[in-house]
Every structure is written in C-alpha cells, then in structure tokens.
Amino acid sequence: MRATVLDGFTVNPGDNPWTAVESHCDLDIHERTPSERIVERSFDSEILLTNKSPISGETIRALPNLKFISVLATGYNVVDTDTARRRGIPVSNVPAYSTDSVAQHVMAMILCRTHRPTDHSASVYQGHWQASPDFCFWLSPISELADKTIGIVGFGQIGRRVAELASAFRMNVLAYTPTISGKERLNSERFDFCSLQQVFRESDYVSLHCPLTESNAGFVNAELLGTMKAGSVLINTARGGLVNEADLASHLATKRSGGACLDVVSHEPIRPDNPLLKAKNCLITPHIAWATLEARKRLMNTTANNIEAFVGGRPINVVNGVTLK
C-alpha cells in the first residue's frame, strides 16, 4: 500500500528512522506540507499519516484512494473524524506514548520555578558569586515542594503520572476529572478528588492534563484565575486553547499571581502578537514536553503497529468507531 507522511520532521528530525513503518507500506515522506499541497502530495495514497497537518472533510473527499488515516500523536483534532467515519475510513492515533515524557516536563517546570538553577548559574558566570561577601547567595526565595499542593485537571494517564511524581516529592495532590470512571486510588499515593473550583482555589500549582473540546475551550479565564491562591502557578502541557491567553496575561500582571509555565499556546508556532510573550513571570517552552527520543520511538513503533493492523484488516487504536468488514 502507498502511504504519505505529511509532516514527519518533528517525529524524525534525523534520530528516529521510519524503518518500522516502511516495512508495512510504500512510504512517501515529507518533512512539512502546506495545507494547499496536502491533496496534491497524497492524491494516490491509501494511507495518510499526519501529526499537525489538518485533514479536513474537504481534503478527505478529494482523495479517492484514501482508506486509512494514522495520526502521529494522541490528540486527533486535526482530522475531521466524522467525515472519515461516514466514508468508512478508520482513524487511528497513538495513545499513551508520551506519558513519562510530559509528566517529567511538568516536574522540570516546577523545579525550575522553585530553584531557578539556570538563572543562578548565569549569575555565577556574570561574576556575582566571586563578588559575594558570603559563601552563597540566592536570587529569590527557594522553597521545598513537600507539603505544597498540586491540583491536576484531567486525570488520565499523564495526570496520574504527574500525581505519582508529585507524591514522591511529598506534595499533596488534588485531582479533578469530569468523569466518574477512573477514580481509583493510586497505590501508596496521597490525593483527593474535588471540584474544579477547589483545585484552583487551594493549589500551589495547577497542572492541566485534559483534552481540548468545544465545551472546555478557554475555560481557564479571568473568573477562574481570580480564584487562585496568592503565589500559585498555572502549568499547561495539554492544549493552548484551554486557556484564555489575554485573561492569563492580565492575571500574570497582578501581585497575586505566582506565574505560569506553558508548553502549549493557542496557535503554534507562537504568534508575535501573543500577549503571553510580554506577560510577567511566564515561562514558555516550544511544545516539547512530548518530544523525548524515547517517546518519539514509542510513537514510531505504535504507528507501525497501527498500519500493520490496518493492512491485516483489523485496525487498532481507532478513534472514530470504524471497523473493517
């Protein structure tokens, strides 16, 4: 079968070969594809692989040979899954490949806020330690995580892993999930389920781990941010669209805010006019929480399994309910 990768660079910038996928199909790889060239590049393909290149209903209808779409990510909002379902085209994703990677990034952000190691290192190289009258100095107060509270919004696999790591630092864990299922207790970890409002009101750190839907877009707004305790920090490694960015920028300008740590924004790459670029006390990383080599290797292997299963007539990890007869 002929398959086209529309935007393969972020998955394999040179250190994560497509060998496993190529063993199941004739693969045409593009590092990046402008939206207007998607149909042209994939017109003869039966399988389409995308990470962030949008696969609209119009695009799906314009591809007469398309039989399967494999998303190179867990989130699949870039694909019109309803149109694909109506045309009998299964859409598969890659679940759970980045759990450890994203959770680790959350903790790295928290530790960066508490100890500021890069800022202190830069200060040393600027000569401040040599000029210090004491054997040590610090640029801002340093605090322990023990007995601090982290609130986790969305308690899927990544949220649970963050809870486990936070518990290892002896943090208290508050968790909010809109679903009843999945509220089992973690073995030997301390956490409590509560309302969304309580999470924001009582946590020293609030970490978002929920998918972006029509109903929760921009739910982190001025009203909710205004309930956060003084000095608390918002962390978002999920989806930028969950946050009203203008409201967050305004909140960060207040004395009550402890800052924000963001790996995602509403439009990526970030636009020059994004208000968060000028906001106070805002750490922004370029959507890299998922991107460890280990995670990208898992993504590649699962993608190969998805394609092998489809070619064999029994697709797996299907997100739009299509089965093959």
Side-chain angles (χ1 to χ4, degrees):
M1 284 189 171
R2 180 179 173 83
T4 296
V5 180
L6 294 175
D7 50 355
F9 181 80
T10 53
V11 175
N12 175 29
D15 58 357
N16 189 26
W18 294 92
T19 309
V21 176
E22 289 174 320
S23 66
H24 303 297
C25 57
D26 180 13
L27 195 62
D28 184 20
I29 303 168
H30 300 278
E31 291 189 347
R32 303 168 186 88
T33 299
S35 296
E36 64 272 15
R37 298 197 64 188
I38 291 176
V39 172
E40 167 197 340
R41 288 185 172 180
S42 54
F43 189 77
D44 296 326
S45 295
E46 297 162 283
I47 300 172
L48 201 53
L49 288 79
T50 181
N51 189 322
K52 294 295 182 287
S53 293
I55 309 299
S56 65
E58 181 181 2
T59 295
I60 293 171
R61 289 187 290 270
L63 299 175
N65 297 320
L66 185 61
K67 295 181 174 63
F68 179 56
I69 299 173
S70 185
V71 182
L72 300 164
T74 300
Y76 50 88
N77 56 300
V78 296
V79 178
D80 186 334
T81 54
D82 290 336
T83 297
R85 184 178 64 252
R86 288 193 294 269
R87 296 179 69 88
I89 298 171
V91 178
S92 290
N93 73 338
V94 183
Y97 76 94
S98 64
T99 300
D100 286 332
S101 180
V102 175
Q104 175 178 297
H105 194 83
V106 170
M107 298 310 298
M109 285 177 151
I110 292 175
L111 291 170
C112 183
R113 299 292 308 192
T114 56
H115 286 268
R116 295 175 60 187
T118 54
D119 291 343
H120 283 91
S121 177
S123 183
V124 169
Y125 281 99
Q126 291 165 8
H128 298 163
W129 198 8
Q130 296 94 312
S132 173
D134 304 304
F135 76 96
C136 69
F137 71 95
W138 48 90
L139 301 174
S140 61
I142 300 171
S143 61
E144 294 182 347
L145 294 180
D147 295 324
K148 298 294 192 301
T149 298
I150 183 169
I152 299 174
V153 180
F155 213 62
Q157 293 194 41
I158 295 176
R160 289 174 180 274
R161 186 63 179 136
V162 171
E164 291 172 351
L165 296 180
S167 292
F169 283 93
R170 294 202 305 108
M171 297 183 75
N172 303 307
V173 179
L174 299 179
Y176 168 76
T177 177
T179 58
I180 300 299
S181 61
K183 288 190 176 181
E184 327 65 58
R185 290 200 171 275
L186 294 171
N187 292 332
S188 74
E189 261 63 56
R190 302 178 299 163
F191 72 93
D192 293 299
F193 285 103
C194 60
S195 68
L196 179 66
Q197 290 71 26
Q198 185 178 352
V199 164
F200 273 79
R201 187 174 61 248
E202 298 183 8
S203 299
D204 298 290
Y205 299 88
V206 176
S207 191
L208 306 183
H209 297 287
C210 46
L212 176 63
T213 65
E214 290 184 4
S215 62
N216 70 6
F219 83 95
V220 181
N221 56 18
E223 181 179 1
L224 194 57
L225 291 166
T227 67
M228 296 180 75
K229 64 191 295 187
S232 60
V233 176
L234 177 72
I235 302 170
N236 188 9
T237 56
R239 288 291 182 265
L242 296 168
V243 178
N244 183 311
E245 292 173 336
D247 287 357
L248 176 58
S250 296
H251 175 71
L252 292 172
T254 67
K255 292 182 179 180
R256 285 184 54 82
S257 172
C261 299
L262 312 173
D263 187 54
V264 289
V265 293
S266 59
H267 186 279
E268 298 171 349
I270 194 168
R271 290 173 171 167
D273 62 350
N274 190 306
L276 294 171
L277 287 174
K278 296 182 179 180
K280 294 181 179 180
N281 209 9
C282 188
L283 184 156
I284 304 175
T285 54
H287 203 148
I288 58 170
W290 69 281
T292 60
L293 177 58
E294 294 84 355
R296 288 185 288 111
K297 285 182 175 180
R298 286 192 291 270
L299 187 153
M300 188 70 77
N301 289 333
T302 302
T303 297
N305 293 339
N306 285 348
I307 293 175
E308 180 183 25
F310 167 73
V311 172
R314 299 176 65 86
I316 58 175
N317 296 320
V318 176
V319 298
N320 67 338
V322 176
T323 57
L324 301 181
K325 297 179 181 180

